[in-house]
Amino acid sequence: FELSAELSARVHECSRSAGVTPFVTLLATWSLLLNRYSGQSDFGIGASVAGRDGPQWGRVIGFFLNMLTLRVRLDQDWTVRELLAHVAAVTKGAYAHQSLPIEWLIEQLNPPREPSRTPLFQSALTLQVPTHEFEARMDAAGMRIIDLRPARLASQFDTTLFLEETSQGFK
């Protein structure tokens, strides 16, 4: 699905007004949708991070994806701003520890395991933002980047929301 340019602009305006990022606003919205359909008010949502949180990784080529677990606890009495503040705090706390591999975290927590499920979350949210600066650097270095997308997409999780920010809005 796509969010219209108008609705995407409203996401940005709401985010600016509340002092949060569009990712936080989208995560809060995704949390409310999950709550509506599942009836749960306390759950984990996975979010991918690039795993390049230090200057030592600037010249290294490779895929360093790590998953964060964002534990959202909803309260029916919250205002929208209180929800956004909660989700922002959860996100900030998780990003402060983004260098810890999820495999290590799972090993340390040792949660009950089911072969058909990931142990810390069954839903994920990914927001892909434009990378014009990165692309320009890569072109200048004489490299060519080709976007290869699989013909059929599969998910590791029960639900995954993958959004990409374009000039026409979130898609």
Side-chain angles (χ1 to χ4, degrees), residues 67-126:
M67 293 298 289
L68 299 178
T69 301
L70 307 171
R71 186 169 183 189
V72 178
R73 295 177 180 151
L74 300 176
D75 184 322
Q76 290 183 339
D77 295 329
W78 281 346
T79 64
V80 171
R81 284 197 183 264
E82 289 170 328
L83 171 62
L84 291 173
H86 168 71
V87 173
V90 165
T91 304
K92 184 177 180 181
Y95 276 91
H97 302 285
Q98 67 178 304
S99 61
L100 294 174
I102 192 166
E103 295 82 9
W104 180 86
L105 182 61
I106 292 169
E107 183 180 298
Q108 296 302 307
L109 294 174
N110 195 24
R113 303 293 296 261
E114 289 182 44
S116 65
R117 297 179 174 266
T118 56
L120 301 179
F121 53 85
Q122 285 79 48
S123 179
L125 171 65
T126 297

Short mmCIF file of all heavy atoms in Angstrom, two decimals, residues 67-126:
data_model
loop_
_atom_site.label_atom_id
_atom_site.label_comp_id
_atom_site.label_asym_id
_atom_site.label_seq_id
_atom_site.Cartn_x
_atom_site.Cartn_y
_atom_site.Cartn_z
N MET A 67 19.08 -6.71 14.10
CA MET A 67 17.69 -6.45 14.45
C MET A 67 17.62 -5.98 15.90
O MET A 67 18.29 -6.54 16.77
CB MET A 67 16.84 -7.71 14.28
CG MET A 67 16.67 -8.17 12.85
SD MET A 67 15.83 -6.99 11.77
CE MET A 67 14.15 -7.06 12.37
N LEU A 68 16.82 -4.96 16.13
CA LEU A 68 16.56 -4.47 17.48
C LEU A 68 15.17 -4.93 17.88
O LEU A 68 14.28 -5.04 17.04
CB LEU A 68 16.59 -2.94 17.51
CG LEU A 68 17.89 -2.26 17.13
CD1 LEU A 68 17.70 -0.75 17.18
CD2 LEU A 68 19.01 -2.69 18.05
N THR A 69 14.98 -5.14 19.16
CA THR A 69 13.64 -5.43 19.67
C THR A 69 13.14 -4.18 20.37
O THR A 69 13.75 -3.70 21.33
CB THR A 69 13.66 -6.60 20.67
OG1 THR A 69 14.17 -7.75 20.00
CG2 THR A 69 12.27 -6.90 21.18
N LEU A 70 12.05 -3.63 19.88
CA LEU A 70 11.44 -2.45 20.45
C LEU A 70 10.19 -2.90 21.23
O LEU A 70 9.21 -3.33 20.63
CB LEU A 70 11.05 -1.46 19.35
CG LEU A 70 12.18 -1.09 18.39
CD1 LEU A 70 11.64 -0.29 17.23
CD2 LEU A 70 13.26 -0.32 19.12
N ARG A 71 10.26 -2.85 22.54
CA ARG A 71 9.14 -3.31 23.36
C ARG A 71 8.20 -2.14 23.62
O ARG A 71 8.54 -1.17 24.31
CB ARG A 71 9.62 -3.88 24.68
CG ARG A 71 8.46 -4.48 25.46
CD ARG A 71 8.92 -5.28 26.62
NE ARG A 71 7.78 -5.90 27.29
CZ ARG A 71 7.89 -6.50 28.44
NH1 ARG A 71 9.06 -6.58 29.05
NH2 ARG A 71 6.83 -7.04 29.00
N VAL A 72 7.02 -2.25 23.05
CA VAL A 72 6.02 -1.19 23.16
C VAL A 72 4.94 -1.67 24.13
O VAL A 72 4.44 -2.78 24.01
CB VAL A 72 5.40 -0.89 21.79
CG1 VAL A 72 4.33 0.18 21.90
CG2 VAL A 72 6.48 -0.45 20.80
N ARG A 73 4.63 -0.80 25.08
CA ARG A 73 3.56 -1.07 26.05
C ARG A 73 2.55 0.06 25.93
O ARG A 73 2.85 1.19 26.29
CB ARG A 73 4.12 -1.13 27.46
CG ARG A 73 5.08 -2.28 27.66
CD ARG A 73 5.67 -2.24 29.05
NE ARG A 73 6.59 -3.34 29.23
CZ ARG A 73 7.62 -3.31 30.03
NH1 ARG A 73 7.88 -2.23 30.74
NH2 ARG A 73 8.42 -4.35 30.15
N LEU A 74 1.38 -0.26 25.44
CA LEU A 74 0.36 0.75 25.19
C LEU A 74 -0.53 0.95 26.40
O LEU A 74 -0.84 0.01 27.11
CB LEU A 74 -0.50 0.34 23.98
CG LEU A 74 0.26 0.15 22.67
CD1 LEU A 74 -0.69 -0.35 21.60
CD2 LEU A 74 0.93 1.43 22.24
N ASP A 75 -0.96 2.19 26.60
CA ASP A 75 -1.89 2.54 27.66
C ASP A 75 -3.07 3.25 27.00
O ASP A 75 -2.87 4.25 26.30
CB ASP A 75 -1.20 3.46 28.67
CG ASP A 75 -2.07 3.79 29.87
OD1 ASP A 75 -3.29 3.97 29.69
OD2 ASP A 75 -1.52 3.88 30.97
N GLN A 76 -4.26 2.76 27.22
CA GLN A 76 -5.44 3.33 26.57
C GLN A 76 -5.70 4.78 26.94
O GLN A 76 -6.39 5.50 26.23
CB GLN A 76 -6.68 2.50 26.90
CG GLN A 76 -6.68 1.16 26.24
CD GLN A 76 -7.96 0.39 26.55
OE1 GLN A 76 -8.65 0.68 27.52
NE2 GLN A 76 -8.27 -0.58 25.71
N ASP A 77 -5.16 5.22 28.06
CA ASP A 77 -5.41 6.59 28.52
C ASP A 77 -4.42 7.60 27.92
O ASP A 77 -4.55 8.80 28.18
CB ASP A 77 -5.35 6.66 30.05
CG ASP A 77 -6.47 5.86 30.69
OD1 ASP A 77 -7.55 5.75 30.09
OD2 ASP A 77 -6.24 5.32 31.79
N TRP A 78 -3.44 7.15 27.16
CA TRP A 78 -2.45 8.06 26.60
C TRP A 78 -3.03 8.94 25.51
O TRP A 78 -3.89 8.51 24.73
CB TRP A 78 -1.29 7.28 26.00
CG TRP A 78 -0.30 6.78 27.00
CD1 TRP A 78 -0.16 7.13 28.29
CD2 TRP A 78 0.71 5.81 26.73
NE1 TRP A 78 0.87 6.44 28.87
CE2 TRP A 78 1.42 5.63 27.93
CE3 TRP A 78 1.09 5.08 25.61
CZ2 TRP A 78 2.49 4.75 28.04
CZ3 TRP A 78 2.14 4.21 25.72
CH2 TRP A 78 2.84 4.05 26.92
N THR A 79 -2.51 10.14 25.45
CA THR A 79 -2.78 11.00 24.30
C THR A 79 -1.81 10.58 23.19
O THR A 79 -0.88 9.79 23.41
CB THR A 79 -2.52 12.48 24.64
OG1 THR A 79 -1.12 12.64 24.94
CG2 THR A 79 -3.37 12.93 25.83
N VAL A 80 -1.99 11.13 22.02
CA VAL A 80 -1.09 10.83 20.90
C VAL A 80 0.34 11.26 21.26
O VAL A 80 1.30 10.53 21.02
CB VAL A 80 -1.57 11.51 19.60
CG1 VAL A 80 -0.52 11.38 18.50
CG2 VAL A 80 -2.89 10.93 19.15
N ARG A 81 0.47 12.43 21.86
CA ARG A 81 1.81 12.90 22.24
C ARG A 81 2.47 11.99 23.27
O ARG A 81 3.67 11.75 23.22
CB ARG A 81 1.76 14.33 22.77
CG ARG A 81 1.58 15.33 21.65
CD ARG A 81 1.94 16.73 22.13
NE ARG A 81 1.70 17.68 21.09
CZ ARG A 81 2.64 18.12 20.25
NH1 ARG A 81 3.86 17.68 20.36
NH2 ARG A 81 2.34 19.00 19.34
N GLU A 82 1.70 11.48 24.22
CA GLU A 82 2.26 10.56 25.22
C GLU A 82 2.69 9.25 24.56
O GLU A 82 3.74 8.70 24.89
CB GLU A 82 1.24 10.29 26.33
CG GLU A 82 1.02 11.49 27.24
CD GLU A 82 -0.15 11.32 28.18
OE1 GLU A 82 -1.14 10.65 27.81
OE2 GLU A 82 -0.08 11.88 29.29
N LEU A 83 1.89 8.76 23.62
CA LEU A 83 2.27 7.56 22.88
C LEU A 83 3.56 7.80 22.10
O LEU A 83 4.49 6.98 22.15
CB LEU A 83 1.15 7.13 21.92
CG LEU A 83 1.50 6.02 20.94
CD1 LEU A 83 1.85 4.73 21.67
CD2 LEU A 83 0.37 5.81 19.95
N LEU A 84 3.65 8.92 21.41
CA LEU A 84 4.86 9.23 20.64
C LEU A 84 6.07 9.37 21.56
O LEU A 84 7.17 8.91 21.21
CB LEU A 84 4.66 10.49 19.81
CG LEU A 84 3.67 10.36 18.64
CD1 LEU A 84 3.42 11.72 17.99
CD2 LEU A 84 4.16 9.35 17.62
N ALA A 85 5.90 9.98 22.71
CA ALA A 85 7.01 10.12 23.67
C ALA A 85 7.46 8.75 24.16
O ALA A 85 8.67 8.50 24.28
CB ALA A 85 6.59 11.00 24.85
N HIS A 86 6.51 7.85 24.44
CA HIS A 86 6.86 6.50 24.88
C HIS A 86 7.63 5.76 23.80
O HIS A 86 8.69 5.17 24.07
CB HIS A 86 5.59 5.72 25.25
CG HIS A 86 5.82 4.26 25.43
ND1 HIS A 86 6.52 3.73 26.50
CD2 HIS A 86 5.47 3.20 24.65
CE1 HIS A 86 6.57 2.41 26.38
NE2 HIS A 86 5.95 2.06 25.27
N VAL A 87 7.11 5.79 22.58
CA VAL A 87 7.77 5.08 21.48
C VAL A 87 9.14 5.69 21.19
O VAL A 87 10.10 4.98 20.92
CB VAL A 87 6.87 5.06 20.23
CG1 VAL A 87 7.60 4.49 19.03
CG2 VAL A 87 5.60 4.26 20.51
N ALA A 88 9.27 7.00 21.31
CA ALA A 88 10.57 7.66 21.11
C ALA A 88 11.57 7.20 22.17
O ALA A 88 12.74 6.93 21.86
CB ALA A 88 10.41 9.18 21.16
N ALA A 89 11.14 7.09 23.42
CA ALA A 89 12.03 6.63 24.49
C ALA A 89 12.44 5.18 24.26
O ALA A 89 13.62 4.82 24.45
CB ALA A 89 11.35 6.79 25.85
N VAL A 90 11.50 4.34 23.87
CA VAL A 90 11.80 2.93 23.58
C VAL A 90 12.83 2.84 22.45
O VAL A 90 13.82 2.11 22.53
CB VAL A 90 10.51 2.16 23.22
CG1 VAL A 90 10.83 0.82 22.59
CG2 VAL A 90 9.64 1.98 24.45
N THR A 91 12.58 3.60 21.40
CA THR A 91 13.48 3.58 20.23
C THR A 91 14.86 4.09 20.60
O THR A 91 15.87 3.47 20.23
CB THR A 91 12.86 4.42 19.10
OG1 THR A 91 11.56 3.92 18.81
CG2 THR A 91 13.71 4.38 17.86
N LYS A 92 14.92 5.18 21.34
CA LYS A 92 16.21 5.75 21.75
C LYS A 92 17.00 4.75 22.60
O LYS A 92 18.20 4.57 22.41
CB LYS A 92 16.00 7.05 22.53
CG LYS A 92 17.27 7.74 22.91
CD LYS A 92 16.98 9.06 23.62
CE LYS A 92 18.26 9.75 24.00
NZ LYS A 92 18.01 11.01 24.71
N GLY A 93 16.32 4.09 23.51
CA GLY A 93 16.98 3.09 24.36
C GLY A 93 17.52 1.93 23.54
O GLY A 93 18.63 1.45 23.78
N ALA A 94 16.74 1.47 22.58
CA ALA A 94 17.19 0.34 21.75
C ALA A 94 18.37 0.74 20.87
O ALA A 94 19.34 -0.01 20.74
CB ALA A 94 16.03 -0.16 20.89
N TYR A 95 18.30 1.93 20.28
CA TYR A 95 19.40 2.37 19.42
C TYR A 95 20.69 2.60 20.21
O TYR A 95 21.78 2.49 19.66
CB TYR A 95 19.01 3.63 18.64
CG TYR A 95 18.25 3.31 17.38
CD1 TYR A 95 16.87 3.24 17.39
CD2 TYR A 95 18.92 3.05 16.19
CE1 TYR A 95 16.17 2.92 16.25
CE2 TYR A 95 18.23 2.74 15.04
CZ TYR A 95 16.85 2.68 15.07
OH TYR A 95 16.15 2.36 13.94
N ALA A 96 20.58 2.91 21.50
CA ALA A 96 21.78 3.08 22.33
C ALA A 96 22.55 1.76 22.47
O ALA A 96 23.74 1.77 22.78
CB ALA A 96 21.39 3.61 23.71
N HIS A 97 21.87 0.64 22.22
CA HIS A 97 22.50 -0.68 22.34
C HIS A 97 22.50 -1.44 21.02
O HIS A 97 22.58 -2.67 21.01
CB HIS A 97 21.76 -1.50 23.42
CG HIS A 97 21.75 -0.84 24.75
ND1 HIS A 97 22.86 -0.79 25.55
CD2 HIS A 97 20.78 -0.17 25.40
CE1 HIS A 97 22.56 -0.12 26.66
NE2 HIS A 97 21.31 0.27 26.58
N GLN A 98 22.47 -0.71 19.92
CA GLN A 98 22.34 -1.36 18.61
C GLN A 98 23.55 -2.20 18.21
O GLN A 98 23.44 -3.06 17.35
CB GLN A 98 22.08 -0.31 17.53
CG GLN A 98 23.24 0.63 17.28
CD GLN A 98 22.92 1.61 16.17
OE1 GLN A 98 22.59 1.19 15.07
NE2 GLN A 98 23.00 2.89 16.47
N SER A 99 24.67 -2.01 18.86
CA SER A 99 25.85 -2.81 18.50
C SER A 99 25.83 -4.21 19.11
O SER A 99 26.65 -5.05 18.73
CB SER A 99 27.14 -2.08 18.90
OG SER A 99 27.16 -1.89 20.30
N LEU A 100 24.91 -4.47 20.03
CA LEU A 100 24.79 -5.81 20.59
C LEU A 100 24.07 -6.71 19.60
O LEU A 100 22.91 -6.45 19.26
CB LEU A 100 24.01 -5.79 21.91
CG LEU A 100 24.65 -5.06 23.07
CD1 LEU A 100 23.68 -5.01 24.25
CD2 LEU A 100 25.94 -5.73 23.47
N PRO A 101 24.70 -7.77 19.12
CA PRO A 101 24.03 -8.66 18.16
C PRO A 101 22.81 -9.31 18.79
O PRO A 101 22.83 -9.73 19.95
CB PRO A 101 25.10 -9.71 17.83
CG PRO A 101 26.40 -9.11 18.26
CD PRO A 101 26.08 -8.16 19.39
N ILE A 102 21.76 -9.41 18.03
CA ILE A 102 20.52 -10.00 18.55
C ILE A 102 20.73 -11.44 18.98
O ILE A 102 20.13 -11.91 19.94
CB ILE A 102 19.35 -9.87 17.56
CG1 ILE A 102 18.04 -10.23 18.28
CG2 ILE A 102 19.59 -10.71 16.32
CD1 ILE A 102 16.79 -9.84 17.55
N GLU A 103 21.63 -12.15 18.30
CA GLU A 103 21.91 -13.54 18.68
C GLU A 103 22.47 -13.61 20.10
O GLU A 103 22.13 -14.49 20.87
CB GLU A 103 22.90 -14.19 17.70
CG GLU A 103 22.36 -14.34 16.30
CD GLU A 103 22.48 -13.06 15.46
OE1 GLU A 103 23.14 -12.08 15.92
OE2 GLU A 103 21.90 -13.03 14.38
N TRP A 104 23.34 -12.67 20.46
CA TRP A 104 23.91 -12.61 21.79
C TRP A 104 22.82 -12.31 22.82
O TRP A 104 22.76 -12.92 23.89
CB TRP A 104 25.01 -11.56 21.86
CG TRP A 104 25.64 -11.45 23.22
CD1 TRP A 104 26.67 -12.20 23.70
CD2 TRP A 104 25.27 -10.55 24.26
NE1 TRP A 104 26.95 -11.81 25.00
CE2 TRP A 104 26.11 -10.80 25.36
CE3 TRP A 104 24.30 -9.55 24.38
CZ2 TRP A 104 26.02 -10.09 26.55
CZ3 TRP A 104 24.21 -8.85 25.56
CH2 TRP A 104 25.07 -9.13 26.64
N LEU A 105 21.95 -11.36 22.48
CA LEU A 105 20.86 -10.99 23.39
C LEU A 105 19.94 -12.18 23.64
O LEU A 105 19.57 -12.46 24.79
CB LEU A 105 20.07 -9.82 22.79
CG LEU A 105 18.92 -9.28 23.62
CD1 LEU A 105 19.41 -8.74 24.96
CD2 LEU A 105 18.20 -8.20 22.85
N ILE A 106 19.60 -12.91 22.58
CA ILE A 106 18.75 -14.09 22.74
C ILE A 106 19.43 -15.14 23.61
O ILE A 106 18.81 -15.74 24.48
CB ILE A 106 18.37 -14.67 21.35
CG1 ILE A 106 17.44 -13.69 20.63
CG2 ILE A 106 17.72 -16.04 21.49
CD1 ILE A 106 17.22 -14.02 19.17
N GLU A 107 20.72 -15.31 23.39
CA GLU A 107 21.47 -16.28 24.21
C GLU A 107 21.46 -15.88 25.68
O GLU A 107 21.28 -16.73 26.57
CB GLU A 107 22.91 -16.37 23.69
CG GLU A 107 23.75 -17.39 24.40
CD GLU A 107 25.16 -17.41 23.83
OE1 GLU A 107 25.30 -17.72 22.63
OE2 GLU A 107 26.10 -17.10 24.59
N GLN A 108 21.63 -14.59 25.97
CA GLN A 108 21.67 -14.13 27.36
C GLN A 108 20.30 -14.21 28.02
O GLN A 108 20.19 -14.59 29.19
CB GLN A 108 22.19 -12.69 27.43
CG GLN A 108 23.61 -12.52 26.95
CD GLN A 108 24.59 -13.37 27.72
OE1 GLN A 108 24.63 -13.33 28.94
NE2 GLN A 108 25.38 -14.17 27.00
N LEU A 109 19.25 -13.86 27.29
CA LEU A 109 17.90 -13.88 27.86
C LEU A 109 17.32 -15.28 27.94
O LEU A 109 16.48 -15.56 28.80
CB LEU A 109 16.96 -12.98 27.04
CG LEU A 109 17.27 -11.50 27.07
CD1 LEU A 109 16.38 -10.75 26.09
CD2 LEU A 109 17.12 -10.94 28.47
N ASN A 110 17.72 -16.13 27.01
CA ASN A 110 17.27 -17.52 26.94
C ASN A 110 15.74 -17.65 27.07
O ASN A 110 15.23 -18.35 27.95
CB ASN A 110 17.96 -18.36 28.01
CG ASN A 110 17.82 -19.84 27.74
OD1 ASN A 110 17.61 -20.25 26.60
ND2 ASN A 110 17.92 -20.64 28.79
N PRO A 111 15.01 -16.96 26.18
CA PRO A 111 13.55 -17.04 26.27
C PRO A 111 13.05 -18.41 25.81
O PRO A 111 13.78 -19.14 25.12
CB PRO A 111 13.09 -15.94 25.30
CG PRO A 111 14.19 -15.88 24.29
CD PRO A 111 15.46 -16.15 25.06
N PRO A 112 11.82 -18.76 26.17
CA PRO A 112 11.26 -20.03 25.66
C PRO A 112 11.26 -20.00 24.13
O PRO A 112 10.98 -18.97 23.53
CB PRO A 112 9.82 -20.03 26.19
CG PRO A 112 9.78 -19.00 27.26
CD PRO A 112 10.88 -18.04 27.00
N ARG A 113 11.62 -21.12 23.53
CA ARG A 113 11.75 -21.15 22.07
C ARG A 113 10.68 -22.03 21.44
O ARG A 113 10.33 -23.07 21.97
CB ARG A 113 13.12 -21.70 21.67
CG ARG A 113 14.33 -20.94 22.22
CD ARG A 113 14.48 -19.54 21.67
NE ARG A 113 14.71 -19.48 20.25
CZ ARG A 113 15.89 -19.33 19.67
NH1 ARG A 113 16.97 -19.24 20.40
NH2 ARG A 113 15.99 -19.28 18.36
N GLU A 114 10.18 -21.56 20.31
CA GLU A 114 9.29 -22.34 19.46
C GLU A 114 9.92 -22.32 18.07
O GLU A 114 10.26 -21.24 17.57
CB GLU A 114 7.91 -21.71 19.38
CG GLU A 114 7.09 -21.81 20.63
CD GLU A 114 5.71 -21.20 20.44
OE1 GLU A 114 5.10 -21.45 19.38
OE2 GLU A 114 5.28 -20.47 21.33
N PRO A 115 10.08 -23.46 17.44
CA PRO A 115 10.75 -23.50 16.13
C PRO A 115 10.07 -22.64 15.06
O PRO A 115 10.72 -22.16 14.15
CB PRO A 115 10.70 -24.97 15.74
CG PRO A 115 10.46 -25.72 17.00
CD PRO A 115 9.73 -24.79 17.92
N SER A 116 8.77 -22.41 15.18
CA SER A 116 8.05 -21.67 14.16
C SER A 116 8.07 -20.16 14.36
O SER A 116 7.53 -19.42 13.55
CB SER A 116 6.60 -22.14 14.10
OG SER A 116 5.95 -21.82 15.32
N ARG A 117 8.70 -19.67 15.44
CA ARG A 117 8.67 -18.24 15.75
C ARG A 117 10.03 -17.71 16.16
O ARG A 117 10.82 -18.43 16.75
CB ARG A 117 7.70 -17.96 16.90
CG ARG A 117 6.29 -18.31 16.60
CD ARG A 117 5.42 -18.02 17.81
NE ARG A 117 4.04 -18.22 17.51
CZ ARG A 117 3.22 -17.27 17.10
NH1 ARG A 117 3.65 -16.05 16.98
NH2 ARG A 117 1.97 -17.54 16.84
N THR A 118 10.24 -16.45 15.87
CA THR A 118 11.42 -15.80 16.43
C THR A 118 11.14 -15.53 17.90
O THR A 118 10.00 -15.25 18.27
CB THR A 118 11.73 -14.48 15.68
OG1 THR A 118 10.58 -13.64 15.73
CG2 THR A 118 12.14 -14.75 14.24
N PRO A 119 12.14 -15.58 18.76
CA PRO A 119 11.87 -15.55 20.20
C PRO A 119 11.48 -14.20 20.80
O PRO A 119 10.82 -14.17 21.82
CB PRO A 119 13.18 -16.04 20.81
CG PRO A 119 14.20 -15.84 19.77
CD PRO A 119 13.52 -15.90 18.45
N LEU A 120 11.86 -13.08 20.22
CA LEU A 120 11.62 -11.80 20.88
C LEU A 120 10.52 -10.97 20.23
O LEU A 120 9.98 -10.07 20.85
CB LEU A 120 12.91 -10.98 20.94
CG LEU A 120 14.06 -11.64 21.69
CD1 LEU A 120 15.29 -10.75 21.66
CD2 LEU A 120 13.67 -11.97 23.11
N PHE A 121 10.21 -11.21 18.99
CA PHE A 121 9.15 -10.48 18.30
C PHE A 121 8.68 -11.27 17.09
O PHE A 121 9.41 -12.09 16.55
CB PHE A 121 9.62 -9.08 17.87
CG PHE A 121 10.89 -9.08 17.07
CD1 PHE A 121 10.86 -9.28 15.69
CD2 PHE A 121 12.11 -8.89 17.67
CE1 PHE A 121 12.03 -9.30 14.95
CE2 PHE A 121 13.29 -8.90 16.94
CZ PHE A 121 13.24 -9.10 15.57
N GLN A 122 7.43 -11.04 16.73
CA GLN A 122 6.87 -11.69 15.54
C GLN A 122 6.44 -10.67 14.50
O GLN A 122 5.90 -11.01 13.47
CB GLN A 122 5.66 -12.57 15.91
CG GLN A 122 6.04 -13.87 16.59
CD GLN A 122 6.37 -13.67 18.05
OE1 GLN A 122 5.63 -13.03 18.76
NE2 GLN A 122 7.49 -14.20 18.49
N SER A 123 6.67 -9.41 14.78
CA SER A 123 6.32 -8.34 13.85
C SER A 123 7.54 -7.43 13.68
O SER A 123 8.31 -7.25 14.62
CB SER A 123 5.14 -7.53 14.41
OG SER A 123 4.81 -6.49 13.53
N ALA A 124 7.68 -6.88 12.48
CA ALA A 124 8.81 -6.00 12.23
C ALA A 124 8.36 -4.79 11.43
O ALA A 124 7.37 -4.83 10.71
CB ALA A 124 9.91 -6.75 11.47
N LEU A 125 9.12 -3.71 11.58
CA LEU A 125 8.89 -2.48 10.82
C LEU A 125 10.23 -2.02 10.28
O LEU A 125 11.21 -1.90 11.03
CB LEU A 125 8.28 -1.39 11.70
CG LEU A 125 8.19 0.01 11.08
CD1 LEU A 125 7.24 0.01 9.89
CD2 LEU A 125 7.76 1.03 12.11
N THR A 126 10.27 -1.76 8.98
CA THR A 126 11.48 -1.23 8.35
C THR A 126 11.10 0.01 7.58
O THR A 126 10.13 0.00 6.82
CB THR A 126 12.12 -2.27 7.40
OG1 THR A 126 12.51 -3.40 8.16
CG2 THR A 126 13.33 -1.69 6.70
#
